[in-house]
Amino acid sequence: MATIDKTASVPGQRGTGSKPAQDRTQRFGEGGGVLNVFSHGFLAVWAILIVLPLGWVVLGSFKTDSQINGSAWSWPAAFHFDAFGRAWEKGIGGFFMNTIIVLLGSVTLTMLLGSMAAYVLARYEFKGNKVIYYLFVAGSMFPVYLALVPLFFMVRNLGEISPYLGLNSYAGLILVYVAYSLPFTVFFMYSFFRTLPTAVHEAAMLDGCSHARAFFQIMVPMAKPGLISVGIFNILGQWNQYILPVTLMQPTTAGEADHSMLAQGLVNLALQSGYKSDAPALFAGMTIAMLPVLVVYLSFQRQVQAGLTSATLK
Amino acid sequence: MRHGKYPFIVGFLFLPIVLYVGLVLWPYAQTFGYSLTDWSGASQEMNFVGLDNYTRLLDDEVFGNALWHNLLLLILLPVVTILIALFFAFMLNVGGKGGTGGVQGVKGAGFYKVVFFFPQVLSIAILAVLWGAVYRTDQSGLANGVLIKLGLASVDQPVQWLSDPDMVMWCVLAVLVWSGVGFYLVLFSAAMQSIPKDIYEAALLDGAKRGQTFFKITLPLLWETVQTAWVYLAIVAMDAFALVSSITPGAYFGGGPDHHSELISTYLMRSFLRNGEAGYACAMGVVIFFFTLILTVVSLWATKRDKIEY
């Protein structure tokens, strides 16, 4: 894109010095002035439409219950943080920790296994290479609903082997997240590994480096930008996952600890009126759930936007 | 590549493939099998019933409703989202003052992009709780609060957003559009920025107006991206489960009032986890699969054009 900009501004390509061209530019500039106000108007309205509900929720976490149940336009009487404390105790804290535990495992494993598979598929010739690659790519096309019922029983059966793998277990959900994140990760890293130069790798091989060592010590560091993009994509995707935890993370026997993920737990609390008498805590819970995403997004917004859009353009 | 190549390949591929085949591909395949049985899911008992589940779906009124709502979202969501996103993307990239450069975006384009995109990174579950609060049917909901403030609704008779059978689907559509526009705006912006500026400048020198440059230059050159957006939005529309199941009224996975916002996915989950009809639910999963498949093929075919190279 940058190169295109450069070619556009090469001097001599445009008749900037000649009078007629200048006139036209000016005329267009005037018309653009009206359009500028017009476009700013629409853009500002949409920006308000986005920010207003979000800001309203954050403000709501400082209001009192009676304020929330009154007019929507009330301003918080005082800025106390106790609603956050109550939300945390009502389960948000636990759900938050559950999500962190699962995410640490699943993102790490997704990145490791995904790039291992992508690397072998991208840089080694062997029989069935293309078949395996296309099998991975094809998997991302199907809706997850197609697999839900058998997946539920698959995970329940894993629970009979070891309770640490079954329904409502961290490891079970981690493995499922990894499996469903592999197609995109393999697809993305495959094209990334293909673009990396071969010379360094070959030199290392001549020096007697093993295949595995070449991967971990040479290719992985070189692939860092790609790994970061896919990593952010996977973190956001798995943090926001909903249908898989709803299906798999439900206590099967009474008294079993609730291992709900954050999004799932928040919806459950909102639905099962866990906050019926405490609307500020629900708003605080929402704020808590939004905050990490907001931080990740604002710090990496370029990568996030680029990563998510390139995910679409596959 | 010399010694140790094959053990290495096998070693690196073994785990990913086992996980992927075991937890993704095999369940996909099993769904087709289960959909031909009367399995309840609770017991081991399972009888082959052929296409009975599918013929039952044909007569099922709730499923008919669900199918219709899925279709409605499939058509409206992409159309509305793409139109708004294209409009904003054009504003951001070509809507600014003419200046000497001829074509440029409005000031603050980067800021708008960051703000508009934000709902996209929020979990649909958080969106659901958020919009559940916005759509409250008393004056304390934000939507009613705004209308009352503007004098368009009275405190005694606020709008019954999600409890109104005629409005519930529109409310769902509004949330999906609200959260999706920013993403497609960024997508179209990226595509617009890769269109060489010379083309615009040439058109401007030839006396083209902004509307003309949009329809004669921008849109044709963006067509491929629009087509991708279409397919992707169709998948989003099929995936409105989290939203509908958590903001619409109805016991177990929403779909109310009186099935007026039922989707195939909400009906699938209720049949499976509440009604003990795993076989029947699998048949719905298969319907969703063919729906997605047909849709992808049709939209790819319908939007097919010659690729323009520049």
Side-chain angles (χ1 to χ4, degrees):
Chain A
M1 275 170 241
T3 51
I4 291 163
D5 286 344
K6 265 179 222 151
T7 54
S9 59
V10 167
Q13 280 202 336
R14 269 178 285 127
T16 38
S18 66
K19 202 154 186 303
Q22 227 168 22
D23 280 352
R24 281 202 196 93
T25 328
Q26 266 169 6
R27 246 191 296 134
F28 202 83
E30 283 158 28
V34 179
L35 200 92
N36 204 20
V37 175
F38 172 75
S39 50
H40 261 302
F42 276 108
L43 291 165
V45 166
W46 194 268
I48 291 170
L49 277 180
I50 300 283
V51 174
L52 186 69
L54 298 169
W56 180 68
V57 163
V58 177
L59 274 184
S61 47
F62 296 106
K63 290 182 190 171
T64 62
D65 196 50
S66 58
Q67 260 188 315
I68 287 183
N69 291 317
S71 166
W73 286 99
S74 58
W75 191 257
F79 282 85
H80 291 304
F81 285 88
D82 42 331
F84 288 91
R86 293 201 303 279
W88 192 263
E89 277 161 24
K90 280 195 186 192
I92 293 295
F95 301 150
F96 203 96
M97 291 306 155
N98 293 341
T99 311
I100 299 277
I101 293 170
V102 168
L103 232 61
L104 276 178
S106 61
V107 172
T108 316
L109 264 183
T110 304
M111 299 306 294
L112 182 69
L113 296 182
S115 47
M116 274 162 56
Y119 173 69
V120 170
L121 292 174
R123 301 192 69 117
Y124 288 82
E125 282 300 320
F126 57 93
K127 256 206 180 117
N129 178 318
K130 279 273 170 291
V131 178
I132 297 175
Y133 173 67
Y134 285 116
L135 215 58
F136 270 114
V137 175
S140 60
M141 316 268 242
F142 300 114
V144 68
Y145 301 98
L146 184 61
L148 279 186
V149 178
L151 187 65
F152 175 86
F153 291 102
M154 189 82 83
V155 175
R156 199 182 68 175
N157 292 342
L158 279 177
E160 277 158 23
I161 303 170
S162 155
Y164 294 106
L165 282 174
L167 294 171
N168 201 26
S169 74
Y170 295 131
L173 191 64
I174 289 175
L175 292 183
V176 171
Y177 275 6
V178 173
Y180 283 84
S181 309
L182 276 177
F184 177 69
T185 311
V186 168
F187 167 81
F188 192 99
M189 289 315 294
Y190 177 89
S191 41
F192 206 90
F193 281 126
R194 290 226 117 171
T195 60
L196 293 181
T198 50
V200 187
H201 182 244
E202 272 163 15
M205 296 305 281
L206 284 177
D207 287 345
C209 184
S210 75
H211 292 282
R213 203 172 147 201
F215 170 72
F216 285 109
Q217 294 197 328
I218 296 166
M219 299 314 280
V220 167
M222 282 208 285
K224 213 167 147 194
L227 288 170
I228 290 175
S229 297
V230 191
I232 295 172
F233 179 83
N234 281 324
I235 291 172
L236 284 176
Q238 295 179 5
W239 175 272
N240 286 337
Q241 182 52 252
Y242 182 69
I243 181 78
L244 287 173
V246 164
T247 312
L248 300 175
M249 296 303 267
Q250 28 182 350
T252 39
T253 53
E256 202 177 319
D258 187 356
H259 287 169
S260 290
M261 296 296 105
L262 188 56
Q264 175 197 5
L266 192 68
V267 170
N268 283 345
L269 283 174
L271 284 186
Q272 296 158 2
S273 60
Y275 285 117
K276 193 128 224 174
S277 57
D278 197 356
L282 178 64
F283 281 69
M286 265 191 268
T287 310
I288 293 174
M290 281 194 291
L291 214 59
V293 183
L294 182 67
V295 171
V296 171
Y297 174 55
L298 288 182
S299 354
F300 296 98
Q301 39 104 356
R302 260 168 213 288
Q303 284 98 322
V304 171
Q305 292 192 349
L308 288 185
T309 34
S310 66
T312 313
L313 290 173
K314 62 193 160 189
Chain B
M1 312 293 163
R2 295 154 306 160
H3 52 87
K5 180 182 154 189
Y6 282 100
F8 168 72
I9 291 175
V10 173
F12 262 38
L13 281 179
F14 181 72
L15 264 180
I17 290 183
V18 165
L19 272 180
Y20 179 65
V21 171
L23 292 173
V24 181
L25 293 186
W26 178 230
Y28 281 159
Q30 275 182 305
T31 300
F32 288 92
Y34 288 152
S35 76
L36 304 174
T37 68
D38 64 354
W39 190 33
S40 73
S43 64
Q44 294 295 321
E45 201 187 307
M46 197 188 295
N47 304 305
F48 181 79
V49 293
L51 294 175
D52 278 8
N53 284 326
Y54 294 94
T55 48
R56 197 182 137 196
L57 279 177
L58 287 178
D59 292 329
D60 190 332
E61 230 172 87
V62 177
F63 182 75
N65 267 341
L67 196 67
W68 165 242
H69 293 138
N70 267 107
L71 261 177
L72 200 74
L73 281 185
L74 273 175
I75 296 162
L76 288 178
L77 180 66
V79 172
V80 178
T81 312
I82 288 177
L83 282 181
I84 299 179
L86 267 179
F87 175 72
F88 282 142
F90 191 66
M91 290 283 149
L92 283 182
N93 292 293
V94 212
K97 289 194 178 181
T100 43
V103 192
Q104 74 180 51
V106 295
K107 280 209 183 86
F111 167 77
Y112 285 126
K113 269 190 227 170
V114 172
V115 172
F116 288 8
F117 194 88
F118 181 57
Q120 184 67 34
V121 299
L122 282 182
S123 157
I124 193 99
I126 293 178
L127 291 186
V129 182
L130 165 75
W131 283 86
V134 171
Y135 281 138
R136 276 175 66 152
T137 49
D138 49 16
Q139 54 157 338
S140 46
L142 185 62
N144 272 323
V146 171
L147 289 183
I148 290 169
K149 197 86 176 168
L150 295 173
L152 296 172
S154 75
V155 182
D156 312 316
Q157 278 179 310
V159 184
Q160 299 296 306
W161 304 104
L162 297 164
S163 320
D164 185 336
D166 296 329
M167 280 188 79
V168 61
M169 277 317 285
W170 300 107
C171 294
V172 169
L173 181 70
V175 179
L176 291 172
V177 170
W178 179 85
S179 66
V181 160
F183 176 80
Y184 295 94
L185 161 84
V186 170
L187 188 70
F188 294 146
S189 277
M192 277 183 193
Q193 272 158 15
S194 65
I195 299 174
K197 286 206 171 146
D198 322 27
I199 300 184
Y200 282 112
E201 283 167 0
L204 291 181
L205 288 175
D206 288 344
K209 302 229 165 45
R210 266 164 215 269
Q212 283 176 315
T213 58
F214 178 76
F215 285 108
K216 298 268 166 65
I217 299 174
T218 313
L219 198 56
L221 289 177
L222 276 186
W223 199 247
E224 220 168 304
T225 318
V226 172
Q227 177 181 325
T228 315
W230 196 282
V231 175
Y232 199 68
L233 274 163
I235 295 170
V236 174
M238 293 299 292
D239 202 21
F241 170 80
L243 191 63
V244 170
S245 74
S246 43
I247 64 171
T248 61
Y252 304 117
F253 309 110
D258 194 24
H259 304 300
H260 274 90
S261 63
E262 197 77 73
L263 297 178
I264 306 179
S265 46
T266 56
Y267 193 39
L268 182 159
M269 286 294 273
R270 199 177 313 123
S271 303
F272 168 42
L273 288 175
R274 288 296 144 195
N275 303 352
E277 296 174 310
Y280 197 44
C282 281
M284 291 182 218
V286 173
V287 171
I288 294 182
F289 165 74
F290 280 112
F291 224 95
T292 319
L293 197 71
I294 292 170
L295 197 97
T296 313
V297 173
V298 166
S299 53
L300 283 177
W301 173 80
T303 51
K304 199 173 170 192
R305 278 205 180 185
D306 290 330
K307 191 173 178 159
I308 304 166
E309 296 200 353
Y310 48 85

